Amino acid sequence: MPDATDTEGLTVGQVSARLDVTVRALHHWDEIGLARPSLRTAAGYRLYTAGDLERLHRIVVYREIGLGLDKIRAVLDDPTADVPGALRAQRTQVAERIDRLQQLSAGLDRMIDAHERGLLLTIEQQAAIFGPEWNPDWLTEARQRYGDTTQWRQYAERSASRGPEEWQAIAEAMAGVERALGEAMDAGVAPGSPEAHHIVERHREVFASYFPLTREMQVCLGRSYEADPAFAAHYDGIRPGLAMWFRQSIDASARDHGIDPDTATWQ
């Protein structure tokens, strides 16, 4: 390798800064013979010439578009290499990667919206799916109250992947549970009976479409269904006294599973 004075060529550090390539990468490319500096100083330090720098520029470009080092070596050194063909193949891979990233970006946008809004549905879609009693402001209130909880995060992540059809199915399933509650009360089903236990379990399963619901958490919901005026009005609107009957049924089911409803907490 020819010698050079300290003022000729560029050092490894200077090339690293100019091309935004690590010194470690430059040393590696030197070791494998992909890009060796052509000069050395009298003290033995490597120096890159203008021709070396041009080759390094090409290596950096090819690496950035995803070519492996062996493929780069072939493109640079093999006179029979089909360079346009290799670049076209890489362009196809880049286009596919861009498409995946765009899909990922769209998914992230939906996730952000779901965390902030709760439902990715228009006001009209919400009314059509959840009925005339539905108030879109409830979502804002729920986020303000529960936005920092694990359950809101779980709800938002599920919401991000759902469209109107999925929400329609969930709304119909919950409506089916509420019809069953009213029919059970009409039939004189007692809290604690196998029939009441079955409906309570159906409610827990359907409600779990929003977020995982433990039996302890269901007990807490049952308290709210009876104590909260809005919830109580909803259930008592289905059948007078249904809010209390439902809470009693949930408590009885919890006891049957070894849970004391008087001490149950949201967990």
Side-chain angles (χ1 to χ4, degrees):
M1 180 178 291
D3 288 340
T5 67
D6 290 342
T7 59
E8 292 177 325
L10 295 174
T11 65
V12 172
Q14 288 171 325
V15 171
S16 171
R18 179 171 297 192
L19 298 184
D20 194 23
V21 175
T22 66
V23 170
R24 181 179 180 181
L26 291 171
H27 284 163
H28 177 62
W29 296 347
D30 182 8
E31 290 169 1
I32 64 175
L34 179 62
R36 286 176 171 160
S38 299
L39 300 177
R40 283 187 183 272
T41 68
Y45 294 108
R46 298 175 179 87
L47 292 176
Y48 291 87
T49 66
D52 297 335
L53 200 61
E54 180 180 350
R55 182 180 177 89
L56 284 168
H57 271 295
R58 296 179 68 191
I59 292 172
V60 169
V61 170
Y62 289 147
R63 190 180 65 161
E64 286 181 349
I65 64 174
L67 288 181
L69 295 183
D70 289 341
K71 180 66 72 173
I72 292 173
R73 188 195 302 276
V75 168
L76 293 178
D77 298 336
D78 185 354
T80 66
D82 179 10
V83 177
L87 295 179
R88 287 191 184 96
Q90 197 63 28
R91 182 181 62 187
T92 299
Q93 294 183 26
V94 169
E96 292 172 351
R97 188 159 68 242
I98 289 172
D99 183 61
R100 290 194 298 272
L101 289 173
Q102 288 175 336
Q103 293 179 28
L104 176 61
S105 178
L108 289 171
D109 286 341
R110 286 184 60 83
M111 189 74 74
I112 292 168
D113 286 347
H115 274 275
E116 293 179 344
R117 294 166 47 198
L119 282 175
L120 304 186
L121 300 172
T122 66
I123 300 298
E124 294 74 18
Q125 287 173 327
Q126 293 177 41
I129 292 171
F130 301 114
E133 293 183 358
W134 176 258
N135 182 353
D137 292 339
W138 289 340
L139 291 171
T140 301
E141 296 171 3
R143 183 177 184 275
Q144 291 173 346
R145 186 172 181 179
Y146 305 112
D148 294 331
T149 66
T150 298
Q151 286 71 40
W152 180 267
R153 290 192 291 272
Q154 293 168 330
Y155 166 72
E157 288 166 5
R158 297 181 181 194
S159 178
S161 64
R162 287 176 178 156
E165 297 80 8
E166 290 87 351
W167 282 117
Q168 183 69 52
I170 293 170
E172 291 173 357
M174 187 58 74
V177 170
E178 293 180 348
R179 283 194 302 272
L181 288 169
E183 292 167 0
M185 192 173 180
D186 287 343
V189 173
S193 66
E195 294 86 351
H197 283 351
H198 176 71
I199 298 173
V200 168
E201 191 61 21
R202 278 184 60 194
H203 169 266
R204 195 169 69 88
E205 292 173 355
V206 173
F207 194 96
S209 300
Y210 304 114
F211 53 79
L213 187 71
T214 66
R215 289 187 172 85
E216 289 88 346
M217 293 162 68
Q218 190 181 29
V219 168
C220 296
L221 280 180
R223 294 174 191 155
S224 297
Y225 291 161
E226 184 178 22
D228 184 275
F231 279 130
H234 172 74
Y235 284 102
D236 289 344
I238 298 172
R239 296 292 191 282
L242 183 59
M244 181 175 67
W245 183 91
F246 191 20
R247 191 268 305 163
Q248 292 173 343
S249 296
I250 291 173
D251 287 357
S253 177
R255 291 190 189 94
D256 198 51
H257 287 87
I259 299 166
D260 182 356
D262 294 331
T263 60
T265 57
W266 188 263
Q267 63 181 8

